[in-house]
Amino acid sequence: MVEDTDMKEHIVCPFCGCLCDDIIIGLEGNQIKENKNGCAISKAKFLNHHDDRLEMNAPLDELVEKAAKIIANSKRLLVYGLSSTENDAHREAYKIAEVAGGVVDNTSSVCHGPTILGAQESGEAHAALAETRHRADLVIYWGSNPQFAHPRHLSRYTRAPGFYIKDGKKDRQIWVVDVRKTISATVANRFVRVAPGSDLEVLCALRAIARGKVLDVDEIGGISVKELTEIVEAMKNAKYGVLFFGLGLTQSKGRHRNIDAAIRLIQDMNVYTKWGMMPMRGHYNVAGANKTSTWQTGYPYAVDYARGYPRYQPGEYTAVDMLVRGEPDAVLNIAADPAAHFPKEAVKHLSKIPVINIDPKRNMTSLLAAVNIPTAIAGIECDGAATRMDGLPLYLKKVVDPPEGMLPDRDVLRMIYEEVRRMKK
Amino acid sequence: MSRVGVEALLTSGRTLKQGRAMELGKLGPEYLKEVAYCEMDTVTLESLGLEEGDPVLVETQYGSVIVSSKVDRRAEPGVVFIPCGPYANAVIGSETESTGMPKFKGITAQLFAAKGKTVLDVEKLLKKMVEGA
Ligand code: SF4
């Protein structure tokens, strides 16, 4: 007998910062058989959720005790990750950092950390995705390749028809500014190639032109002044513009200064018309990690509890800097893979100290870890809350049961916290 | 290995297949295929005397790594790309200029033909990275 497929609707995809909430999952018993509406990455995430899992190589209690011992004995604990798990797990992680007098940082320090620094300098000219879809007649992606990193961003928000924008293709212009002609550039209405490392100059030139300054050169950052002037005019004449920016701005020369300049450009544009901007957040809940960290510690990332109260200092308490200085004597890594995403020097130190790795799947960090604790996948095997790139919180649903004995991250972290507290008494 | 190289700016970033492969398993062959390559324009590939798929050595002041070569028909000479992941990270610096953010994009690199050399798998690369060889 063929089992009936049970369709679950309005499932939120826990992969990228788009947090698409229109996924339909087809289930046969406890098996995911189908993912409708999801992009290729979403399909891979849901349909292969039980592949390549981290194994529980000892009873959970033992693993928790081992982890707690490492934490309780550490002098300089680094708690890191958090962007690919849900908000309740974050809370427990901050509690562990506090009780151990350690540092807690999330993956935004290597993605949109500079965005936060830029906003702390210049404010936040935020937009929302629904607003973009309904109102924006000019959308710019700067240093971002949504077709690859956020595959449904265009089809759901910027090419989709909205309330005022009846035809997402005809009534809206999409531009891509990048150092490479990316796949997204090929589907855009206009591609502007900027010379690598010159985003800051280009942004400042745009601001100068907008203010009526005459530039004494022919080109800036590989773009002719004539083209820059055209860009400014089009931006001024848009009814509603949105600038989406990616790691092309935050990870290249200038880092937070690029963001600072971009924010000021958008502020300048609001003298003439309406403009907003938004970082293209990568991990599905990295925006949430910044929020929960701010709620609980007062700061969005790079928080040190060594003195018993939280202090904030990017460059000091950010994970890469700490590891390169050889400072942490233990790392608690949750839902991230620093061994795959940090520069070599940082990974080297990671290999010398005990790492407690909490993740549903095997990854490069799990190869280095002293203790690996497998958990349930948030948004597929357990519920939770996450924050979309525009700041909208969404509820992640449980679709199937986790593999036997696997608990959500929040439960494992709570157990570790209780155990550390007991040991520290 | 040829010591006549081509200089370019190395940048890294996400790709759709890299995202998909992460979900299929980071230690599996799919992930290796999707992160262990360097994308370049045809002129750069030809100047190196390579055919698409041949191994290429990417060297920066921070280290070197062997990956396979790939053509990006839209690319122009001067900028090459490795998907974000351990292979790109093997050649980027860790200096963050007090921001927390290493420079993942826009590093000066030299490319050399590396015919006959093999691309290490993820586990071997990690071993090499931590042992500092
Ligand atoms: S665009 Fe992002 S959130 Fe939406 S389905 Fe694809 S991976 Fe999931």
Side-chain angles (χ1 to χ4, degrees), chain A residues 15 40-41 44-45 48 52 109-111 114 117 145 147-149 151 180-183 186 193 196 247-248 250-253 255-256 301 314-315 318 320-321 324 337 339-345 347-348 351 361-364 367-368, chain B residues 9 11-12 14-16 18-20 22-28 31 39 62-64 72 74-76 79-81 84-86 89-90 92-106 122-123 125-126 129-132:
Chain A
F15 182 81
I41 303 180
K45 176 143 194 174
N48 300 287
D52 208 43
S109 67
V110 290
C111 64
L117 296 178
N145 187 7
Q147 290 297 76
F148 273 176
R180 295 186 316 134
K181 189 165 188 193
T182 59
I183 180 105
T186 60
R193 192 190 295 267
L247 305 186
T250 65
Q251 291 186 334
S252 59
K253 189 174 157 200
R255 298 182 181 86
H256 59 297
Y301 66 111
T318 26
V320 170
D321 299 273
V324 170
D337 192 4
H341 295 288
F342 280 180
K344 188 169 69 176
E345 286 309 308
V347 180
K348 252 188 210 170
S351 72
K361 297 229 178 182
R362 296 198 307 149
N363 58 24
M364 285 180 71
L367 298 175
L368 296 176
Chain B
L9 281 176
T11 176
S12 65
R14 296 281 316 277
T15 78
L16 184 71
Q18 168 259 344
R20 219 182 130 256
M22 279 203 300
E23 292 304 325
L24 299 179
K26 277 214 175 134
L27 308 178
Y31 185 65
E39 225 169 47
Y62 309 106
S64 64
D72 174 1
R74 294 183 299 267
E76 293 201 348
V79 180
V80 297
F81 172 87
C84 68
N89 294 343
I92 70 151
S94 51
E95 172 54 46
T96 78
E97 292 172 12
S98 298
T99 63
M101 173 70 80
K103 201 169 162 200
F104 285 107
K105 297 184 194 276
V122 172
E123 288 181 49
L125 177 80
L126 181 65
M129 259 160 95
V130 302
E131 283 168 2

Side-chain angles (χ1 to χ4, degrees), chain A residues 71-267:
Chain A
I71 293 172
N73 291 332
S74 70
K75 290 200 169 63
R76 192 88 177 125
L77 172 73
L78 169 65
V79 181
Y80 178 74
L82 303 174
S83 309
S84 291
T85 187
E86 46 82 36
N87 288 354
D88 285 317
H90 300 170
R91 178 185 57 231
E92 304 303 322
Y94 305 137
K95 278 158 64 183
I96 294 174
E98 183 169 10
V99 72
V103 167
V104 57
D105 188 28
N106 53 58
T107 64
S108 67
S109 67
V110 290
C111 64
H112 277 285
T115 300
I116 294 169
L117 296 178
Q120 284 168 344
E121 294 265 320
S122 302
E124 217 176 359
H126 223 292
L129 286 172
E131 240 181 326
T132 306
R133 172 173 167 176
H134 292 305
R135 293 174 187 273
D137 56 346
L138 177 55
V139 165
I140 302 179
Y141 290 100
W142 195 311
S144 160
N145 187 7
Q147 290 297 76
F148 273 176
H150 304 82
R152 296 182 71 214
H153 199 271
L154 271 106
S155 61
R156 284 199 88 202
Y157 302 112
T158 58
R159 276 292 183 223
F163 191 79
Y164 297 106
I165 300 293
K166 300 284 180 222
D167 185 330
K169 287 206 175 91
K170 282 201 211 121
D171 303 341
R172 180 182 288 132
Q173 283 278 309
I174 296 184
W175 297 357
V176 167
V177 183
D178 210 310
V179 298
R180 295 186 316 134
K181 189 165 188 193
T182 59
I183 180 105
S184 305
T186 60
V187 298
N189 302 93
R190 180 177 199 155
F191 168 58
V192 181
R193 192 190 295 267
V194 26
S198 37
D199 303 81
L200 184 57
E201 284 96 316
V202 173
L203 286 162
C204 293
L206 291 173
R207 288 191 69 204
I209 294 169
R211 285 164 180 247
K213 301 265 189 291
V214 179
L215 303 180
D216 209 8
V217 285
D218 297 332
E219 59 149 71
I220 288 161
I223 310 167
S224 69
V225 170
K226 186 170 159 274
E227 189 171 5
L228 289 170
T229 313
E230 269 171 41
I231 294 173
V232 170
E233 284 312 310
M235 286 180 79
K236 279 184 182 173
N237 290 327
K239 284 205 187 87
Y240 189 102
V242 181
L243 169 70
F244 292 100
F245 60 99
L247 305 186
L249 272 193
T250 65
Q251 291 186 334
S252 59
K253 189 174 157 200
R255 298 182 181 86
H256 59 297
R257 292 289 167 218
N258 298 337
I259 309 304
D260 188 4
I263 294 173
R264 286 174 189 266
L265 172 67
I266 296 307
Q267 286 168 343

Side-chain angles (χ1 to χ4, degrees), chain B residues 9-62:
Chain B
L9 281 176
L10 169 69
T11 176
S12 65
R14 296 281 316 277
T15 78
L16 184 71
K17 288 184 173 165
Q18 168 259 344
R20 219 182 130 256
M22 279 203 300
E23 292 304 325
L24 299 179
K26 277 214 175 134
L27 308 178
E30 190 85 7
Y31 185 65
L32 175 74
K33 198 173 117 221
E34 296 308 340
V35 292
Y37 66 78
C38 178
E39 225 169 47
M40 60 193 85
D41 62 286
T42 41
V43 176
T44 304
L45 189 84
E46 279 161 21
S47 326
L48 289 167
L50 293 177
E51 306 229 345
E52 185 166 18
D54 285 346
V56 56
L57 174 86
V58 181
E59 197 174 284
T60 70
Q61 68 179 109
Y62 309 106

